[in-house]
Amino acid sequence: LLLSFLQDHNHTLLMRTVNEHLNIRTVDGTVPISSEIEADVGITGHTQNQLDEFNGQEIMLGSAPMDTYVRDEVERTLQSEAGRRVKDAVSKEAAGLLETFSRVKQENAANSLSARDAIPMPPPRGVEVDHQIANLKALRKRIALGPAALPSICMYTMHNTSNSMNCARVSDDLSLLAGGFSESYVKIWSLKREPLRGFQSNFHLGSINKEEDIETIRENTSSDHRKLVAHSGPVFGVDISFDSKYLISCSEDKTARLWSLDTFTNLVCYKGHNYPVWDVSFAPQGFYFATASHDRTARLWSCDHIYALRIFAGHLSDVNCVRFHPNSKYVVTGSSDKSARLWDVQRGSCVRVFTGHTGSVDTVAISPDGRIMASAGEDQTVNIWDLGSGRCMDTLSGHTGSIYSLAFSQEGTLLLSGSADETVRAWDVKRSSTASDHPIVAQRREERRKQAEAEAAAGSSDAMDVDAKEDNPDESSMATGFKATGSAAGAADKSKQSAGTNGSAKGNDNGNSNGNGNGSSQSKKRDAAGIWKSKRVVESDSLLKTWRTKNTPVHSIMMTKRNLAIAIGPFVL
């Protein structure tokens, strides 16, 4: 009732304070609590048995069916190139792609949804054919990842952002990088160092007779970056369509905007939410997109309608993040009510509820095969879920700051996480006895064990030093300097606390951590005497490797079709 009253009377500041500092639960009688953790998890008023029964609903996790036009055109194009009389490199590559495509068609036919169960899509264009051929080329060059073969990571560090960059995204073809800023604009960079040229404002359509004429009416500029200005509030989320033709952004001004990456102009403004919009995501096949908002709802939109097609209502607090299932039939959301939910796009109803986090869920990811989901957030842990049963498969610990982003490898066996603790970590999602016995994995495990023992010994000596300093608080203060390692919480919460600015954080904005390599991680916490002491974080056995950045919280991480990892974050002083 309190939350409903604050929501209805627009007490935004009080609502934000309640969400951050209070854990409201409705209890009938005496509820047995087996541990302190169990007191903070679950859905108010529902038992675990009720949730298990609810999560027993039938869902369809197969892949999206391949359009017949796209399938036939890809096959015809590859056959034409492979059938050349002169057997050059192009024809040989086409022959290999044709063989790969045959295997992909067989897998899709065996695992895909029926045309009746799939969501309706507009007629395909030629760009879908080019995209499918590009995916086939990437598939042939893909490196299979696992515990013994970890990915390469390309890290983009954004300088001179003044703690104002709230979000970032790289296009699937690695040609563009987009960022949303607290100054109400979206900025786009060309990763190929090519000029981003829009259209001149004074051209006539009658002068365009063929495709080559389009280049003559473009702007004469050499700049490799552009600013997109239209929002009237901080931009909290951006996403780029699969064909790199469109960009969608969301803002504190309660709107989402669709931009053309050909003309660099705003095409549509979507209105419907009553409060700031925290996140936005395109469907894998494009056309549809979803938004997550402070009004406790997520909404489904299509690019050709200005009003929402579906409203997903059920969360008890802010919906922080939203992602599509690979078949676009479902949407998964994460919320400040410490839960994640899976929604049926066609019915608009919730079909899975995932409870287990002890803090706000700020990011979610689904494996490419659509069977596994990962969620993470303020509690600094990653939960792995089986979408079919709704059960938690594993809880991964090791981070010492809020987790901002997750990404699965293309095989779904490896998970990457980016955090405010300025690290990227790789996790073994599907652990097997054969993988754990691999010599490389065994060597890493032994190195981590020795590192943990060394840090444990160092930690015990530090504790003795701290106890000795407690007799002289002034001396202890000068020795420690009272420099706290923080989690850059202002960036993690997408500036909710400051109503649209991304800078103030709990502790130091640098998000430093004291561990190194794959040993036990440490974070600092003030004790009753006011002394900053190290709190050891036990790392899960699934942790494979930790990559550390230099004063750069990792805001976004993604995996390309060839299993190259792309990480993005702002440099903080």
Side-chain angles (χ1 to χ4, degrees):
L1 292 177
L2 173 62
L3 296 177
S4 299
F5 175 84
L6 296 177
Q7 181 85 21
D8 295 339
H9 291 78
N10 296 328
H11 295 308
T12 307
L13 295 178
L14 290 177
M15 188 75 172
R16 186 178 298 116
T17 303
V18 168
N19 290 335
E20 291 172 359
H21 302 287
L22 297 182
N23 181 18
I24 299 177
R25 301 194 304 271
T26 302
V27 180
D28 295 330
T30 302
V31 179
I33 298 175
S34 59
S35 67
E36 181 181 353
I37 295 179
E38 291 183 6
D40 292 328
V41 302
I43 296 295
T44 301
H46 295 79
T47 65
Q48 186 61 41
N49 291 335
Q50 289 175 315
L51 290 178
D52 291 341
E53 183 179 354
F54 179 83
N55 287 342
Q57 302 178 65
E58 182 181 358
I59 57 176
M60 291 175 283
L61 301 178
S63 59
M66 188 179 301
D67 185 85
T68 55
Y69 168 79
V70 174
R71 181 189 62 203
D72 296 341
E73 282 297 307
V74 170
E75 198 163 19
R76 185 189 61 81
T77 302
L78 295 179
Q79 288 176 348
S80 175
E81 293 182 355
R84 291 182 178 181
R85 293 183 178 180
V86 180
K87 297 298 181 181
D88 55 3
V90 175
S91 63
K92 292 180 180 179
E93 182 185 25
L97 292 176
L98 194 60
E99 181 181 350
T100 303
F101 186 59
S102 299
R103 187 173 69 253
V104 170
K105 285 195 303 179
Q106 294 177 358
E107 295 176 356
N108 184 266
N111 302 320
S112 66
L113 302 173
S114 64
R116 183 184 63 180
D117 295 328
I119 64 171
M121 298 294 293
R125 304 162 293 163
V127 66
E128 284 85 357
V129 177
D130 297 336
H131 180 70
Q132 183 64 46
I133 294 177
N135 286 344
L136 291 175
K137 293 179 180 179
L139 178 59
R140 285 178 55 82
K141 298 178 180 179
R142 178 183 301 169
I143 299 176
L145 300 181
L150 299 179
S152 298
I153 300 179
C154 177
M155 179 71 194
Y156 289 96
T157 300
M158 316 305 293
H159 291 269
N160 303 319
T161 58
S162 302
N163 291 330
S164 65
M165 193 179 87
N166 300 323
C167 56
R169 173 69 182 176
V170 172
S171 61
D172 289 344
D173 62 0
L174 304 183
S175 62
L176 298 172
L177 188 155
F181 291 81
S182 294
E183 287 83 357
S184 307
Y185 64 82
V186 177
K187 193 168 184 179
I188 302 176
W189 291 268
S190 171
L191 299 182
K192 296 181 177 180
R193 297 298 183 182
E194 297 175 351
L196 300 180
R197 303 165 57 201
F199 288 131
Q200 301 174 8
S201 59
N202 57 350
F203 73 91
H204 299 284
L205 290 176
S207 61
I208 303 176
N209 298 318
K210 53 184 181 297
E211 185 176 355
E212 290 75 10
D213 294 338
I214 296 179
E215 296 300 322
T216 62
I217 62 174
R218 289 193 177 274
E219 298 172 336
N220 186 17
T221 179
S222 59
S223 176
D224 61 354
H225 61 271
R226 297 289 294 251
K227 273 188 181 181
L228 308 181
V229 181
H231 283 292
S232 58
V235 178
F236 293 131
V238 294
D239 198 11
I240 300 175
S241 62
F242 74 95
D243 56 2
S244 301
K245 297 294 184 182
Y246 299 97
L247 180 143
I248 192 76
S249 60
C250 64
S251 169
E252 188 191 42
D253 62 11
K254 312 174 190 177
T255 67
R257 290 181 179 268
L258 181 69
W259 307 81
S260 169
L261 297 181
D262 278 331
T263 63
F264 301 102
T265 56
N266 182 220
L267 302 178
V268 190
C269 178
Y270 302 93
K271 299 179 180 180
H273 285 289
N274 302 319
Y275 289 93
V277 186
W278 300 131
D279 195 20
V280 63
S281 177
F282 264 118
Q285 292 85 12
F287 188 65
Y288 296 102
F289 65 93
T291 54
S293 171
H294 178 55
D295 61 12
R296 299 186 290 182
T297 68
R299 306 192 183 208
L300 176 73
W301 311 74
S302 65
C303 293
D304 61 346
H305 287 77
I306 62 173
Y307 300 107
L309 304 179
R310 298 286 187 274
I311 298 177
F312 306 118
H315 280 294
L316 306 179
S317 187
D318 296 38
V319 183
N320 298 326
C321 54
V322 60
R323 290 294 180 272
F324 275 88
H325 189 274
N327 63 15
S328 298
K329 187 175 175 60
Y330 300 97
V331 166
V332 63
T333 56
S335 169
S336 296
D337 65 10
K338 308 176 186 177
S339 73
R341 291 175 180 249
L342 185 72
W343 307 84
D344 189 307
V345 166
Q346 292 174 311
R347 293 185 294 166
S349 59
C350 180
V351 294
R352 291 288 185 274
V353 178
F354 307 98
T355 61
H357 283 285
T358 58
S360 173
V361 180
D362 295 330
T363 179
V364 292
I366 301 179
S367 61
D369 63 4
R371 306 290 175 178
I372 300 175
M373 190 265 284
S375 60
E378 287 183 352
D379 61 3
Q380 305 173 10
T381 62
V382 181
N383 282 359
I384 307 298
W385 308 89
D386 175 31
L387 289 180
S389 64
R391 296 275 187 173
C392 183
M393 300 168 56
D394 201 358
T395 297
L396 312 176
S397 59
H399 279 292
T400 59
S402 295
I403 300 173
Y404 294 161
S405 184
L406 299 169
F408 278 94
S409 66
Q410 295 301 319
E411 299 86 5
T413 58
L414 187 140
L415 177 71
L416 294 182
S417 58
S419 170
D421 62 11
E422 303 173 355
T423 65
V424 174
R425 297 178 188 250
W427 312 86
D428 185 8
V429 177
K430 299 179 180 178
R431 283 181 291 175
S432 63
S433 57
T434 55
S436 60
D437 293 338
H438 194 281
I440 296 179
V441 179
Q443 181 182 359
R444 291 201 194 104
R445 190 187 306 116
E446 182 65 18
E447 292 176 353
R448 287 168 54 191
R449 185 186 63 80
K450 293 181 179 179
Q451 183 71 23
E453 291 177 353
E455 290 187 353
S460 61
S461 64
D462 291 343
M464 295 176 59
D465 294 340
V466 171
D467 292 338
K469 292 175 182 176
E470 285 182 352
D471 295 335
N472 190 347
D474 294 336
E475 181 182 352
S476 174
S477 300
M478 290 186 293
T480 59
F482 286 99
K483 183 177 180 182
T485 58
S487 60
D493 288 341
K494 299 186 178 70
S495 309
K496 295 179 189 176
Q497 296 177 354
S498 57
T501 58
N502 186 15
S504 62
K506 298 177 183 176
N508 181 9
D509 215 18
N510 287 345
N512 297 320
S513 64
N514 291 335
N516 52 33
N518 278 330
S520 297
S521 300
Q522 295 181 358
S523 62
K524 288 186 177 180
K525 186 176 182 181
R526 191 192 299 268
D527 65 1
I531 305 298
W532 288 100
K533 289 186 175 180
S534 295
K535 182 184 73 171
R536 191 171 302 279
V537 178
V538 179
E539 295 178 341
S540 302
D541 293 336
S542 299
L543 179 62
L544 299 175
K545 187 175 178 61
T546 299
W547 293 269
R548 300 192 178 276
T549 67
K550 185 176 292 185
N551 295 340
T552 306
V554 182
H555 277 198
S556 176
I557 191 165
M558 63 170 286
M559 296 289 289
T560 67
K561 296 294 184 181
R562 295 172 59 177
N563 274 336
L564 170 68
I566 306 294
I568 312 169
F571 182 82
V572 293
L573 299 175

